[in-house]
Amino acid sequence: MGQRLDPALVEVRSAAEAFLRVGFRELTRIRVLPVPMFGRFIKLGTHYAGSVMYEPEFVALEKALRQAFPEHFNIAPLEPGERLPASHWIFGLLEAAVAASAAYDEDPDPNWSFVAELIDDLLEQLQAGARGLVHCRVISHLTTSTMEPVEFEDVTIIPVPDPAFAPELMRMVMREIPMARQAFLDAPPIAFDHPRAIVVARSNSSMGRDPFAALEALSRRVDRFLLLSRLVTGTSGRAVWSISGSTGRVSEFHPLGKAIASANSGPQMIKRVGVLSDSLVPGFSALAKAIDDAEVTREKRMFASFDFALARFTRSYASDDLADSLVDLATSMEGILLGGDAGTEDVGLRLRSRAAALLATKSDPAPTIYRDVSDLYSIRSKLVHGSTLEIKELMRLLRRVVPDHDDKFGAESFAFAVDRLRDLVRRAILARLALAADQKTHWTFQGTTSVDAQLSDDSTRQVWRSVWRATMNSHGLDAACEPAPKAEGLYF
């Protein structure tokens, strides 16, 4: 594989082959081997205790690695009981070999091609002094217009063909992270909702850098993309599960899996598919820049209302409890539309007045927005302040907010009501970002602005409304300014 014929590397290869013989023998003795085809990914500390590290062949391989790559591995004596970093790679080699050997019916042989390939993988990473890292996240109700991958700046969206079950999803992730199956001892949560996409963020990290910090940075990159996709498309999609890990078949750490949606939550009650295409890339970039450029005062503050509002908007997608989501969204709307102003009037009045003034369209007139925010905020207030909310009263409010959905028990109507509030918050975030960037309106995220006094003037109200829409239109996001397309219900 192009490695230099260095005696030290030859020694590593020979020691690795000898160790794998002993490693497989020990795993057979403690009945870890043979592994079944669908249980071939073993983990140190779960399937075996690591007694193989006391074998002479393990020690020899560890020594060979330290001599071949002194820049990566500490060759000075360590305190008793302290493990050498090289041992992490050795266990990674053993576990990768076990996974690869499951396709064979005979005892492992160091002359097999997969053994040489795994040793090559190990040596190539150590010689390069860098590792490839990937974060993959499965998202519901998201796809691309061509069913081909789309690149959005620093992430890739890979649509999942329908029908595709959990094994197909995992195989797609394993193309990015070969040992991804180690992340979940059991099967990952079921992704009930279709269509689905896998959002992938990649980077390279030097051996001297903490891989977990780099993986966390990749996760935040995907978080940012999901925020943008929700703001632009109004998708109801939520994250189901994620896996972060190395692009190498041999790695010094196990892939990290996270179940985001509850395995027992079932399908979502509403569905609005976000369809992504290359034409949206400039708009995503412009919106990301607007968020980054927002002048938000954070000094000496535990949190900023803008950041808190975005976090609550995002959190509303994660909860299976519709009441929690409604409270999160109401809180988000307060942070977006009430932050950075000098008003002292009733919070609910200011909230619905500003939403109606800024977000009204021909298909979603100001009186409707005013009424819906008032009704939704009434539900929120009763939930938060411990007031009794009788079913009859709840159904009356839901019928006003979502008159087209009158299911018997109100569950789907509640879901549509939450979706209505989420769409209003989505548009409010876009409007607020655009107005904060505009030099004429001066409604910044810091300081105070007499918002209600200015919006009381018809001409000013029209200017503010046209300014934020024109800003979004200039980025090719004119559709994002409109109410989101009607969502589908699970039952009706």
Side-chain angles (χ1 to χ4, degrees), residues 11-90:
E11 179 61 27
V12 169
R13 187 176 296 278
S14 175
E17 292 173 352
F19 163 70
L20 288 178
R21 291 192 188 94
V22 172
F24 273 73
R25 184 186 66 204
E26 175 64 12
L27 292 179
T28 301
R29 185 188 70 81
I30 61 176
R31 300 184 182 178
V32 174
L33 293 178
V35 292
M37 174 60 72
F38 294 103
R40 57 197 177 102
F41 293 93
I42 66 171
K43 292 174 65 175
L44 176 66
T46 300
H47 300 94
Y48 67 109
S51 58
V52 70
M53 69 185 299
Y54 301 109
E55 297 289 344
E57 289 79 3
F58 184 101
V59 176
L61 177 54
E62 189 174 38
K63 180 179 178 181
L65 285 170
R66 290 169 57 189
Q67 292 178 340
F69 301 100
E71 67 276 22
H72 300 318
F73 306 121
N74 184 3
I75 61 175
L78 299 177
E79 295 297 326
E82 188 173 353
R83 290 174 56 191
L84 289 170
S87 64
H88 301 178
W89 289 92
I90 297 173

Side-chain angles (χ1 to χ4, degrees), residues 66-275:
R66 290 169 57 189
Q67 292 178 340
F69 301 100
E71 67 276 22
H72 300 318
F73 306 121
N74 184 3
I75 61 175
L78 299 177
E79 295 297 326
E82 188 173 353
R83 290 174 56 191
L84 289 170
S87 64
H88 301 178
W89 289 92
I90 297 173
F91 285 118
L93 175 65
L94 176 61
E95 292 168 5
V98 169
S101 72
Y104 295 82
D105 296 327
E106 304 174 13
D107 292 335
D109 187 309
N111 294 321
W112 283 351
S113 61
F114 80 80
V115 171
E117 291 171 0
L118 292 175
I119 297 174
D120 286 341
D121 183 276
L122 168 66
L123 294 178
E124 285 174 0
Q125 292 185 75
L126 294 176
Q127 284 183 287
R131 59 171 87 79
L133 299 176
V134 180
H135 176 86
C136 296
R137 199 175 304 177
V138 177
I139 309 296
S140 65
H141 299 170
L142 194 67
T143 189
T144 66
S145 58
T146 61
M147 286 303 295
E148 295 293 329
V150 173
E151 301 282 342
F152 278 82
E153 289 192 334
D154 50 6
V155 301
T156 304
I157 295 79
I158 304 174
V160 177
D162 284 332
F165 300 100
E168 285 89 344
L169 272 173
M170 183 58 72
R171 279 195 288 270
M172 293 178 69
V173 172
M174 288 174 65
R175 293 169 193 161
E176 303 285 340
I177 306 170
M179 297 293 287
R181 193 63 186 84
Q182 284 183 314
F184 292 101
L185 295 180
D186 297 320
I190 298 174
F192 290 100
D193 302 296
H194 296 223
R196 296 153 298 173
I198 301 173
V199 182
V200 182
R202 310 177 181 91
S203 70
N204 289 316
S205 173
S206 66
M207 290 298 180
R209 186 183 177 193
D210 177 10
F212 302 109
L215 289 173
E216 180 60 30
L218 292 181
S219 178
R220 290 194 298 270
R221 193 189 296 177
V222 173
D223 289 340
R224 169 58 65 89
F225 164 77
L226 288 180
L227 173 62
L228 297 174
S229 66
R230 288 160 175 166
L231 292 175
V232 170
T233 69
T235 174
S236 56
R238 64 179 180 181
V240 183
W241 51 267
S242 67
I243 296 179
S244 302
S246 170
T247 59
R249 295 172 67 187
V250 179
S251 175
E252 83 276 33
F253 66 94
H254 295 134
L256 307 175
K258 182 179 180 180
I260 302 171
S262 169
N264 300 317
S265 61
Q268 296 171 234
M269 297 196 71
I270 63 167
K271 174 181 178 180
R272 183 182 297 106
V273 179
V275 181

Side-chain angles (χ1 to χ4, degrees), residues 322-402:
L322 292 172
D324 279 348
S325 296
L326 187 141
V327 171
D328 282 336
L329 289 166
T331 304
S332 179
M333 179 171 275
E334 288 184 21
I336 290 296
L337 292 183
L338 301 184
D341 72 275
T344 58
E345 297 81 6
D346 175 76
V347 169
L349 175 61
R350 285 188 292 152
L351 200 63
R352 54 185 179 264
S353 297
R354 294 180 185 188
L358 293 174
L359 308 181
T361 66
K362 290 182 179 179
S363 62
D364 194 10
T368 302
I369 295 176
Y370 186 96
R371 183 201 65 204
D372 287 352
V373 172
S374 178
D375 290 342
L376 289 164
Y377 206 81
S378 293
I379 298 174
R380 176 262 183 197
S381 296
K382 290 181 181 296
L383 291 172
V384 169
H385 299 301
S387 302
T388 300
L389 180 60
E390 296 183 356
I391 295 177
K392 182 178 179 180
E393 172 66 6
L394 175 62
M395 293 303 297
R396 183 185 71 81
L397 294 171
L398 292 178
R399 290 190 187 101
R400 280 163 47 107
V401 176
V402 284

Side-chain angles (χ1 to χ4, degrees), residues 355-465:
L358 293 174
L359 308 181
T361 66
K362 290 182 179 179
S363 62
D364 194 10
T368 302
I369 295 176
Y370 186 96
R371 183 201 65 204
D372 287 352
V373 172
S374 178
D375 290 342
L376 289 164
Y377 206 81
S378 293
I379 298 174
R380 176 262 183 197
S381 296
K382 290 181 181 296
L383 291 172
V384 169
H385 299 301
S387 302
T388 300
L389 180 60
E390 296 183 356
I391 295 177
K392 182 178 179 180
E393 172 66 6
L394 175 62
M395 293 303 297
R396 183 185 71 81
L397 294 171
L398 292 178
R399 290 190 187 101
R400 280 163 47 107
V401 176
V402 284
D404 296 336
H405 293 83
D406 190 14
D407 53 308
K408 182 177 181 180
F409 299 104
E412 187 170 279
S413 292
F414 201 174
F416 273 90
V418 170
D419 180 68
R420 167 62 168 164
L421 181 56
R422 182 180 287 128
D423 187 58
L424 290 170
V425 174
R426 177 187 69 83
R427 287 187 278 156
I429 293 172
L430 296 178
R432 194 75 171 81
L433 285 168
L435 291 171
D438 183 71
Q439 297 300 315
K440 296 179 180 178
T441 59
H442 299 295
W443 190 11
T444 64
F445 288 106
Q446 54 189 359
T448 57
T449 304
S450 299
V451 177
D452 299 298
Q454 297 197 54
L455 289 178
S456 65
D457 181 77
D458 288 341
S459 60
T460 301
R461 186 164 57 247
Q462 291 294 335
V463 168
W464 281 32
R465 191 182 297 169

